[in-house]
Amino acid sequence: NAGVTQTPKFQVLKTGQSMTLQCAQDMNHNSMYWYRQDPGMGLRLIYYSASEGTTDKGEVPNGYNVSRLNKREFSLRLESAAPSQTSVYFCASSEQGWNQPQHFGDGTRLSIL
Amino acid sequence: DAKTTQPPSMDCAEGRAANLPCNHSTISGNEYVYWYRQIHSQGPQYIIHGLKNNETNEMASLIITEDRKSSTLILPHATLRDTAVYYCIVRVAGRSNFGNEKLTFGTGTRLTIIP
């Protein structure tokens, strides 16, 4: 049971390049999330998907798009990468409901030059 | 949104109980208290959560005061592998009809277990 799997683990991009971060979960969870974590800061929510077919903006959605491809997969796309998007990106999933804990992947470390 | 306040860092001797405090004085009646931790270079790990009763699982115990304005996470026998940043989070509901959940992470408490 892999839980939440993120690919790639590391990536370096040049400013203006595009990239899609992949996330898949095998826990049959309805809800999925994308966060970013910058040095010395807590995680900030970028986008989330309450269930297959729905997506919503979080705190810091600018510069990103998401796709909930199916129940298992939730991707995050940077259309034109900027140095300010250098960060560690975490995907998470949970059951739907008021008190369901979120389970996280190990992150994608992204550097934009 | 209820905010939380945690000490930035704490030390604990290996084998002793680690007690991590959290203040959440503006918590609402239907908001849960969650604890996560993040070991260096890994994703956050869920530890425990509770509403108003004390909770215990295989990892830790959560003690919530009667007025719910503060809580303490207890790691009963700390090991070196418990060195991590611990986050106390009050759960905020998004669109309640879909049960969307948003976790608002602060900067947490950096717990160092001393051999």
Side-chain angles (χ1 to χ4, degrees), chain B residues 5-10 84-86 107-111:
Chain B
T5 304
Q6 300 177 253
S9 64
M10 294 180 62
V85 178
Y86 286 77
T107 52
T109 296
R110 183 172 296 278
L111 175 67

Side-chain angles (χ1 to χ4, degrees), chain B residues 5-88:
Chain B
T5 304
Q6 300 177 253
S9 64
M10 294 180 62
D11 293 339
C12 178
E14 187 178 16
R16 305 294 289 270
N19 296 279
L20 291 91
C22 180
N23 288 321
H24 31 78
S25 58
T26 60
I27 192 170
S28 299
N30 60 354
E31 289 179 318
Y32 284 77
V33 179
Y34 276 73
W35 283 84
Y36 283 76
R37 73 181 181 183
Q38 190 172 20
I39 297 169
H40 182 63
S41 299
Q42 297 181 18
Q45 179 187 23
Y46 165 75
I47 301 172
I48 197 167
H49 73 282
L51 183 62
K52 53 185 174 182
N53 297 319
N54 298 339
E55 301 287 345
T56 296
N57 63 20
E58 65 278 5
M59 289 183 67
S61 295
L62 175 59
I63 309 297
I64 302 174
T65 58
E66 190 169 346
D67 63 8
R68 301 205 334 117
K69 293 184 177 182
S70 66
S71 60
T72 301
L73 178 75
I74 302 172
L75 307 178
H77 304 287
T79 70
L80 297 178
R81 288 177 294 181
D82 293 322
T83 292
V85 178
Y86 286 77
Y87 297 97
C88 169

